[in-house]
Amino acid sequence: MKLTGSLRPFAPQSQPELIQTSLKDGATVWEAIQLLGIPRERVKLILVNHAGALSDQPLKNGDRVSLFPIEYPVFTDWEGSILSKGHSDEMIREGEMKKWKCSVCGYIYDPSKGDPENGVKPGTAFEEIPEDWVCPKCGAGKDMFEPE
């Protein structure tokens, strides 16, 4: 496993660059993350053998896992995967997050664009937006949005 950015302090002192660890057969990426004591909310991006992966992906002997922290910029045209609890979460297709529609005015919140004018950076999942955020078009609360 390779940890980047602010995840590096979770690496054992004896293996600061590339962590080698043993897991049971079929262990998932999430189990490997737990073994290191990394909180789920700190991981933004997972690569297994240089390809985007979800946390429930089983690992096999020799797999190379790279973990990137929440502050790591994810580009909307990158065909990778953002950390997800599983296939039913925010992920709808590899590399894409759900859009949300305001039921009052029809405004579409697109996570790839965010709402920078109101402090929401591009790449921010709807669930990560602060609860006091409101629709930039009509002022409706976050509770008035539905998945598109």
Side-chain angles (χ1 to χ4, degrees):
M1 294 183 78
K2 182 172 185 174
L3 305 179
T4 59
S6 65
L7 298 178
R8 284 186 175 195
F10 291 98
Q13 295 274 350
S14 61
Q15 300 179 59
E17 292 298 316
L18 190 58
I19 303 162
Q20 292 187 9
T21 189
S22 295
L23 300 165
K24 67 180 191 255
D25 254 359
T28 64
V29 172
W30 174 235
E31 289 171 294
I33 291 170
Q34 285 180 305
L35 180 71
L36 293 172
I38 300 172
R40 178 184 290 265
E41 65 273 5
R42 295 293 308 136
V43 179
K44 175 77 170 197
L45 185 69
I46 301 169
L47 298 179
V48 175
N49 301 323
H50 307 287
L54 296 172
S55 61
D56 60 358
Q57 177 171 324
L59 297 171
K60 59 186 181 310
N61 189 28
D63 279 348
R64 296 181 61 91
V65 179
S66 298
L67 303 175
F68 297 85
I70 193 73
E71 68 273 6
Y72 186 80
V74 176
F75 302 98
T76 58
D77 60 348
W78 185 77
E79 292 184 18
S81 295
I82 295 170
L83 177 65
S84 173
K85 295 177 189 166
H87 298 286
S88 63
D89 267 19
E90 180 67 11
M91 294 296 296
I92 55 172
R93 270 191 351 194
E94 196 171 12
E96 290 186 19
M97 291 185 284
K98 292 190 276 201
K99 294 179 182 177
W100 290 74
K101 182 176 182 177
C102 177
S103 61
V104 175
C105 70
Y107 169 82
I108 304 293
Y109 173 75
D110 181 347
S112 69
K113 296 177 183 171
D115 182 15
E117 296 81 25
N118 294 298
V120 180
K121 295 179 182 178
T124 303
F126 188 77
E127 289 81 4
E128 295 174 4
I129 297 173
E131 290 305 312
D132 61 350
W133 177 84
V134 296
C135 176
K137 190 171 176 184
C138 73
K142 190 176 167 184
D143 61 330
M144 298 302 293
F145 280 72
E146 300 170 345
E148 184 177 50

